[in-house]
Amino acid sequence: MPVISFANAKGGAGKTTAALLLATELAQQGYRVGILDADPQRWITQWHELSGPQHNIEVISEVTVASLQGHIRELARTADYTIIDLAGARDAIVTTAIGLSDHVMIPVQGCAMDARGGAQILDLIKLMEETGKLKIDHSVVLTRVTSMVTTRALLTIKGLLAARGVNVINTPIAERTAYREIFDCGGTLYSMDPTKISNLDKARENARLFAGEVMQLLPVRIVRSQQPRRLFKVVRSAA
Ligand SMILES: Nc1ncnc2c1ncn2[C@@H]1O[C@H](COP(=O)(O)OP(=O)(O)OP(=O)(O)O)[C@@H](O)[C@H]1O
Ligand SMILES: [Mg+2]
């Protein structure tokens, strides 16, 4: 069961939004997803309370440094993917979550090009890799990208990060009304009314492409057994 955490030391970079888009998209595609809400602001928990029970999604709140590993171990029995939403900080819980993750996603706002919070997480990962002699896979995902941000500007950011050896997810997460509405109205992109939310089709496509890339990085194959309703999974490590 891959564990994916979303980290950026700066607040408002789009961590929770990206985490929820990934979780709901994976659930939509039939994967069982556990979300660990490790942000004291509890945005994912509030979304879950507003939405009611969601198919294939389990949310665990009140996650602490001490409880994190136990939650991950428990979810390994019931979930295909575990997603950890972290606060905009660089504290003990962020460090612990990073150390327990198979992949760290670092959302960085494409429009502001303010990558300082993301750079702090990149530095933290480097430090942990050096001192702990471990490898922590990670990627930057550009978020809140508007039509104002040109393809050329995005390519420049990607080039700069690539020069530092940082993997960048090809699909940037666009600025979309639908992504704000999820938190205001609850549910998912698939329970929203396309006649009421502008560009919902584009929002769904964007989330699908983003999740597709994450699934390629961290594949989990679900094989339905002969007995209906039971699922077996085979976890392969990324190529
Ligand atoms: N792609 C997007 N399109 C539209 N609105 C977005 C998008 N991403 C984030 N937002 C909005 O920006 C604000 C901050 O986003 P979000 O809560 O996801 O960031 P965060 O990094 O989790 O912040 P924090 O550090 O406070 O936890 C929210 O109001 C959210 O609705
Ligand atoms: Mg958040």
Side-chain angles (χ1 to χ4, degrees):
M1 173 203 65
V3 177
I4 307 163
S5 54
F6 284 77
N8 184 321
K10 183 174 166 287
K15 294 178 291 294
T16 306
T17 305
L20 190 60
L21 289 179
L22 176 62
T24 50
E25 188 61 39
L26 290 171
Q28 173 73 16
Q29 295 194 24
Y31 295 96
R32 299 161 304 169
V33 184
I35 312 179
L36 296 179
D37 187 356
D39 181 353
Q41 304 264 359
R42 302 172 78 248
W43 289 112
I44 296 266
T45 304
Q46 288 177 48
W47 164 82
H48 197 232
E49 284 165 2
L50 184 65
S51 309
Q54 294 290 305
H55 185 57
N56 279 342
I57 293 184
E58 182 182 353
V59 174
I60 297 176
S61 310
E62 321 283 346
V63 176
T64 63
V65 175
S67 70
L68 195 55
Q69 195 160 15
H71 291 313
I72 291 174
R73 209 176 295 130
E74 257 169 50
L75 282 172
R77 289 202 291 267
T78 55
D80 298 308
Y81 286 93
T82 287
I83 292 171
I84 309 177
D85 184 37
L86 293 161
R90 194 191 146 154
D91 55 13
I93 195 154
V94 170
T95 311
T96 309
I98 288 175
L100 293 170
S101 294
D102 296 295
H103 205 98
V104 180
M105 288 288 164
I106 306 165
V108 169
Q109 276 194 49
C111 56
M113 291 187 202
D114 182 354
R116 261 173 299 165
Q120 283 187 38
I121 297 297
L122 289 170
D123 290 345
L124 176 62
I125 288 174
K126 204 167 161 206
L127 184 72
M128 288 170 75
E129 287 187 330
E130 281 167 8
T131 53
K133 303 227 175 330
L134 34 104
K135 170 131 177 51
I136 300 166
D137 289 334
H138 56 279
S139 303
V140 162
V141 53
L142 298 171
T143 58
R144 311 202 64 176
V145 170
T146 62
S147 51
M148 302 288 285
V149 183
T150 61
T151 313
R152 209 161 122 209
L154 283 181
L155 285 174
T156 307
I157 302 175
K158 281 185 187 178
L160 286 172
L161 288 163
R164 281 189 63 169
V166 180
N167 183 50
V168 183
I169 300 290
N170 274 319
T171 310
I173 296 179
E175 177 85 13
R176 293 270 170 228
T177 311
Y179 299 160
R180 275 193 297 273
E181 290 285 324
I182 293 183
F183 289 96
D184 291 341
C185 309
T188 72
L189 297 176
Y190 298 93
S191 59
M192 285 178 177
D193 182 348
T195 61
K196 295 201 175 116
I197 310 285
S198 62
N199 289 318
L200 185 57
D201 52 340
K202 287 185 183 158
R204 286 177 182 165
E205 175 68 0
N206 186 199
R208 198 180 59 77
L209 290 173
F210 168 57
E213 274 196 63
V214 176
M215 283 188 280
Q216 261 188 342
L217 277 173
L218 298 149
V220 171
R221 191 158 55 92
I222 297 181
V223 182
R224 282 193 190 281
S225 76
Q226 297 300 312
Q227 297 161 305
R229 302 177 67 82
R230 280 202 68 191
L231 295 174
F232 288 103
K233 66 173 191 281
V234 179
V235 181
R236 295 197 312 259
S237 60

